[in-house]
Amino acid sequence: MQDRQEQVSQVVVTARQMRDIEARIFAAGMPVAALMEKVAGLIALRVREVRGSRVGILVGPGHNGGDALVVARELHFRGYAVWLYSPFSKLKELTSQHLQYAQSLGIPYYHEVEQLPDCDFLIDGLFGFGLERLITEGIALAINRLNQWHKPILSIDVPSGIHTDTGEILGTAIRATHTFCLGLWKLAFLQDQALEYIGKAELIDFDIPLADVEAVLGDAPRIKRITPGTVKLTLPLPRPPVTHKYKEGHLLLICGSRRYAGGAVLTALGARASGVGMLSIAVPESLKPILVSHLPEALIIGCPETETGAIAHLQLPENTDLSFFSAIACGPGLTLDATPIIQEVISGESSLVLDADGLNILAYMGTIPTLQKRQAPTVLTPHTGEFQRLFPDIADPKHDRVKAVQEAAVQSGAVVLLKGARTAIANSQGAIWINPESTPALARGGSGDVLTGLIGGLLAQAATKKIPVEDIVATAAWWHSQAGILAAQERTELGVDAFTLTQYLMQVISNLGNI
């Protein structure tokens, strides 16, 4: 049972894929009416946990409206005061039959939203998945009026007005406080622009056969949610009984400048939490005492400085070059004066993580032609602005971040992590991982530096363990966000600065075994 639930929780589908999966179920003999009864029954059970007994049901013309009508019937039988509202004159046959039966039970039915009596909460069944046209005129006005009531709204499958794939608002949309996603997670639930309309999201698993899911998804690159189950496959990174520090990865951080010393410290603290066997940190000579005081176990490499306090050139220990390291992470706090450093590490053969000024310098170099020359794994960790500088000819990530990050990874050959409320990660084959949980507490300077160090440390350790780079990056993204969530719970969102964030990283791993 747990295995199936874990598999279902990872699957993310587009509207077309969901239609094809449902078509297989119906073709196999499942009656549409029977499935509607099952789904609506599961929703009704969840609705009964909501406070209040006066409920308004918003009925659409399709099967989403049919689901809502079955929920209305079930609540009516359990003593709720139920009122129906639908602005549509034509309904699908099955939905129309459910409406006829609801009216025979004496459930009031209104065509004007103003006629609805005062409700404790609303259930939104206006439009289901697959909506692509803009909502306009009277229906748009009604949705806007309902939103202004500031009542709890529970949406069935997706909030009405949300594009199922991109999360785009199609003119206007229901602002749900809770959304019951039916069967499988839809892509909109992982698009940043839809989140303020979705509210709390919950999957209603109505037992879709996994064979049907596999048949439709096939061998094409998939979109997957990162879950504790996927993370447990990676963490803790396995270690043999007999080992030593250099066998557990040697990470080189190249970061910091006189102006941005904190970036080096935070990146290093993120790397330390990863458990990497050996940590070397190249910083301007003037920063060396600061790094030593925070990380006495690390090897701090003081490098010659430019007049502005940036690293002038790398000055590695004797008999050491860049190939000596399992992985390299660089960028935080470097400034653009460190351009020659980035050019040097990109031309090397070590696994590489680029962030912050490392990304800005790469953009000046020409992202795609530069990275196409690299043979070793490369990880890019941009926020939206950096992404647009790196990939100016790729679709706007603000419209469809999942499609954008996929195109960027395929064209560049890098593993690309696009930061956001739902961080998206893609590899060069087009497979995508999305982190389904985060917190606004991470929207503070330095949080990304911690993530860079964490990714670098895990990547260095994984070099000898044959773990795919994209899995490592996905694990780091989940770990980082969970630390933010945990810190926000204990300190409030305002209390989670980047340094505090690093102090919660190990607690996440301790808790992972209990999930």
Side-chain angles (χ1 to χ4, degrees), residues 168-495:
E168 178 185 359
I169 312 308
L170 297 171
T172 190
I174 288 288
R175 288 184 177 271
T177 51
H178 199 120
T179 302
F180 301 110
C181 184
L182 304 183
L184 298 168
W185 288 108
K186 314 304 187 298
L187 189 50
F189 286 78
L190 301 167
Q191 297 273 22
D192 282 9
Q193 59 186 332
L195 297 186
E196 64 178 292
Y197 290 82
I198 286 172
K200 182 181 179 181
E202 179 180 347
L203 184 68
I204 300 295
D205 180 5
F206 57 82
D207 302 317
I208 293 175
L210 290 176
D212 290 325
V213 177
E214 291 297 321
V216 170
L217 299 187
D219 297 326
R222 298 196 181 185
I223 305 168
K224 296 193 296 185
R225 296 169 76 251
I226 307 169
T227 67
T230 62
V231 171
K232 285 181 180 180
L233 297 176
T234 305
L235 293 178
L237 290 166
R239 291 190 175 190
V242 179
T243 186
H244 57 73
K245 58 188 176 184
Y246 291 108
K247 280 189 175 181
E248 300 309 325
H250 190 171
L251 173 65
L252 173 64
L253 297 181
I254 306 172
C255 46
S257 60
R258 192 183 309 150
R259 183 178 181 184
Y260 301 113
V265 173
L266 294 169
T267 307
L269 291 174
R272 168 202 268 174
S274 75
V276 67
M278 189 65 191
L279 178 60
S280 293
I281 310 169
V283 293
E285 182 67 38
S286 61
L287 268 61
K288 189 172 180 178
I290 299 174
L291 271 295
V292 169
S293 68
H294 281 89
L295 295 102
E297 77 282 7
L299 174 60
I300 312 300
I301 304 168
C303 299
E305 301 183 25
T306 65
E307 291 183 0
T308 59
I311 298 175
H313 62 267
L314 291 177
Q315 188 168 286
L316 299 176
E318 189 176 352
N319 299 323
T320 302
D321 60 24
L322 292 177
S323 65
F324 181 76
F325 301 96
S326 311
I328 300 171
C330 58
L334 278 182
T335 79
L336 297 181
D337 290 343
T339 295
I341 308 299
I342 299 300
Q343 293 172 332
E344 182 180 354
V345 296
I346 287 177
S347 65
E349 299 179 356
S350 297
S351 297
L352 178 62
V353 184
L354 289 178
D355 184 34
D357 285 321
L359 298 175
N360 294 326
I361 293 168
L362 174 62
Y364 285 122
M365 295 170 64
T367 306
I368 292 174
T370 299
L371 293 184
Q372 286 176 340
K373 298 174 185 176
R374 269 185 60 81
Q375 299 299 313
T378 308
V379 179
L380 310 180
T381 62
H383 55 59
T384 301
E386 291 165 339
F387 183 95
Q388 291 174 314
R389 289 192 288 274
L390 287 166
F391 303 104
D393 298 324
I394 285 178
D396 184 356
K398 294 177 183 177
H399 173 68
D400 187 344
R401 56 190 287 106
V402 175
K403 181 180 179 181
V405 75
Q406 184 181 52
E407 290 183 5
V410 170
Q411 291 187 30
S412 67
V415 171
V416 181
L417 178 152
L418 178 57
K419 296 171 182 173
R422 295 294 178 266
T423 292
I425 300 145
N427 68 6
S428 58
Q429 287 75 49
I432 297 170
W433 288 254
I434 304 179
N435 186 20
E437 292 185 306
S438 190
T439 170
L442 292 174
R444 295 184 68 167
S447 293
D449 300 342
V450 176
L451 177 61
T452 298
L454 195 59
I455 294 173
L458 291 177
L459 195 60
Q461 294 173 77
T464 59
K465 297 177 173 62
K466 299 182 180 179
I467 300 173
V469 171
E470 55 270 21
D471 289 359
I472 287 294
V473 176
T475 294
W478 180 90
W479 188 356
H480 179 262
S481 68
Q482 290 297 314
I485 292 169
L486 189 60
Q489 290 172 348
E490 295 189 5
R491 294 175 175 251
T492 77
E493 289 178 358
L494 297 180

